[in-house]
Amino acid sequence: MIVQIKYSKEEYLFFSYFALITIGKSFSFNANSIELQTLSVIAIVLLIVKLYNTKFTPKELIIVAILGILGLIVCYSTKREGILLSIITIIGLKGIPYRKLFSMVFQIKLAIYVTLISLAFIGIIPNVKYQQWREGIGFVTRYGMGYEHPNLMHTNLFLLVILYIYLKYEKLKLKHLICIMIINAVIYKVSYSRTGYYSISLIIIGALF
């Protein structure tokens, strides 16, 4: 039996917006790349349409106006659009089920993560390599596996682990955490990202309690 999940128009618009932003971030496109700019423009249009279709109370409209003005001030002062986009995204979250959103983000990021590593492994896309001295080990070779830097590869694994534990927390078992530990160790042997490795280790320890 196939269970059909129904989404409202607002949910479709926001999920589509967030999916495009997630794809752009997961592929680590350059900020000035045509790919990221195209995705961003389409995503922002979807977000604007979503906000237009969202009903706000008078009190909420005042808060939205204040946040919008603050976002514009920060954007003008820092010459960075990230803060303004983040504020607009938070405003757009009204009426959006967080669990559905995080589940979608997890699936997209996991698919992209596996795809990039696989393509880099078989040589279809570049696999950046760094030689670095590590105290007590000597020189180690660090690989990006489709990402611009090995740390970025491990950071994306960290985000996946956070999302997975959040989504599966109530059904999380020791065997799941052991699998995460093994994956973390394997990725560490490729990336040699100590920050990423220890961060995930701490998350696993926290999930045990």
Side-chain angles (χ1 to χ4, degrees):
M1 180 179 179
I2 299 176
V3 179
Q4 293 184 341
I5 302 175
K6 295 183 179 180
Y7 297 100
S8 65
K9 180 168 66 175
E10 288 78 11
E11 288 176 354
Y12 271 120
L13 288 167
F14 192 85
F15 287 164
S16 298
Y17 154 74
F18 216 87
L20 292 175
I21 294 297
T22 301
I23 290 171
K25 294 293 184 180
S26 298
F27 274 113
S28 302
F29 290 127
N30 185 281
N32 297 319
S33 67
I34 186 65
E35 295 89 352
L36 184 59
Q37 290 179 356
T38 301
L39 287 173
S40 298
V41 169
I42 297 173
I44 290 172
V45 170
L46 290 170
L47 180 58
I48 292 172
V49 175
K50 191 276 175 187
L51 289 170
Y52 178 79
N53 285 276
T54 301
K55 294 181 179 179
F56 294 98
T57 65
K59 184 177 180 180
E60 288 173 337
L61 285 173
I62 294 174
I63 296 174
V64 167
I66 293 173
L67 289 174
I69 292 171
L70 288 174
L72 288 171
I73 293 173
V74 173
C75 181
Y76 177 79
S77 301
T78 63
K79 309 301 181 184
R80 294 179 180 274
E81 301 83 9
I83 297 296
L84 179 60
L85 182 60
S86 297
I87 290 174
I88 297 174
T89 300
I90 292 171
I91 295 171
L93 276 169
K94 177 178 168 61
I96 300 299
Y98 296 103
R99 196 171 188 84
K100 286 183 182 179
L101 178 63
F102 291 151
S103 178
M104 178 202 70
V105 172
F106 175 77
Q107 293 176 49
I108 292 174
K109 291 189 73 67
L110 178 62
I112 293 175
Y113 193 76
V114 173
T115 299
L116 286 177
I117 290 178
S118 299
L119 293 177
F121 182 76
I122 60 180
I124 294 180
I125 61 175
N127 183 13
V128 296
K129 182 170 65 173
Y130 293 88
Q131 291 284 340
Q132 188 172 352
W133 173 263
R134 285 289 171 83
E135 191 68 32
I137 301 176
F139 280 103
V140 295
T141 303
R142 308 176 65 194
Y143 295 93
M145 300 303 294
Y147 290 92
E148 293 181 354
H149 194 279
N151 287 343
L152 192 55
M153 177 179 64
H154 220 125
T155 297
N156 275 272
L157 178 63
F158 172 76
L159 294 174
L160 284 169
V161 170
I162 290 289
L163 287 168
Y164 179 82
I165 291 178
Y166 171 79
L167 293 168
K168 303 292 184 180
Y169 189 75
E170 294 178 354
K171 298 181 180 179
L172 205 60
K173 296 181 180 180
L174 181 60
K175 63 180 181 180
H176 299 139
L177 296 177
I178 292 174
C179 286
I180 294 174
M181 289 172 62
I182 294 172
I183 294 171
N184 189 32
V186 171
I187 294 298
Y188 175 73
K189 285 298 182 181
V190 178
S191 71
Y192 281 95
S193 175
R194 291 176 293 191
T195 301
Y197 177 79
Y198 290 127
S199 297
I200 293 175
S201 298
L202 288 173
I203 293 297
I204 294 172
I205 294 172
L208 288 170
F209 298 99

